[in-house]
Amino acid sequence: MGTTYIKNAEHYAQVLARVERVRRSLWIGTADIKDLYVEANGAKMPFLGVIARLLERGVEVRLVHAKEPGPMFREDFDRYPILFSELERSLCPRVHFKIMVFDCQAVYIGSANMTGAGIGMKSEGTRNFEAGILTDEPPLVEAAMEQFDEVWCGKMCKRCRRRDFCGDTIA
């Protein structure tokens, strides 16, 4: 694969197609997550439905995001009971990166949040202007995984000045 620069609607096609092909693990880091809808198997569905399918196949999915999603996301979340028991989820108000790690082999690093306007099914007239890279270059994959893992494991929690706003303080 190498490294591919992606922009605007290409995020939807390339990054989300990669999500559906994950076999073992998917790590998602995003500042914002909303009731994102995607097309999967010819049908429009919540992105959480795609995540639920991955979990049903035994894929490990980790999600770290900066703020609690709105009521529409929670409504979609409630439609998939497997998310309660199997989705590994953490809230960190300092997260602003947008990273997806696919099977520890490839990574998306970019600007798109997990929202309809960022990476979902919005029309060109309502989509954000996004940019990022999709790569399997080992130094980039390793650096992104390390950054994600440092947040996930709570390495930053002890010296974080936003602890009063964090419901998931790890350390």
Side-chain angles (χ1 to χ4, degrees), residues 75-142:
E75 188 176 301
D76 286 341
F77 193 92
D78 291 346
R79 291 173 51 191
Y80 304 97
I82 195 167
L83 297 174
F84 290 103
S85 59
E86 300 300 319
L87 177 63
E88 298 178 58
R89 187 173 152 233
S90 183
L91 186 71
C92 175
R94 300 288 300 267
V95 165
H96 201 263
F97 56 67
K98 288 75 174 182
I99 296 174
M100 287 188 179
V101 181
F102 310 97
D103 290 325
C104 300
Q105 300 294 314
V107 66
Y108 163 76
I109 305 166
S111 63
N113 279 306
M114 299 303 296
T115 65
I119 204 165
M121 289 186 75
K122 290 282 187 171
S123 69
E124 281 300 313
T126 57
R127 185 177 298 282
N128 292 339
F129 304 127
E130 305 288 0
I133 61 168
L134 186 57
T135 184
D136 61 2
E137 300 285 335
L140 291 171
V141 173
E142 289 168 18

Side-chain angles (χ1 to χ4, degrees), residues 45-54 80 83:
M45 68 184 302
F47 180 68
L48 289 171
V50 174
I51 298 300
R53 281 193 211 166
L54 293 175
Y80 304 97
L83 297 174

Side-chain angles (χ1 to χ4, degrees), residues 94 150-151 153-163 169-171:
R94 300 288 300 267
E150 285 177 351
V151 172
C153 292
K155 183 177 180 182
M156 312 304 193
C157 292
K158 288 181 181 167
R159 62 182 184 274
C160 178
R161 294 184 179 176
R162 303 280 297 163
R163 288 175 69 108
T169 302
I170 299 167

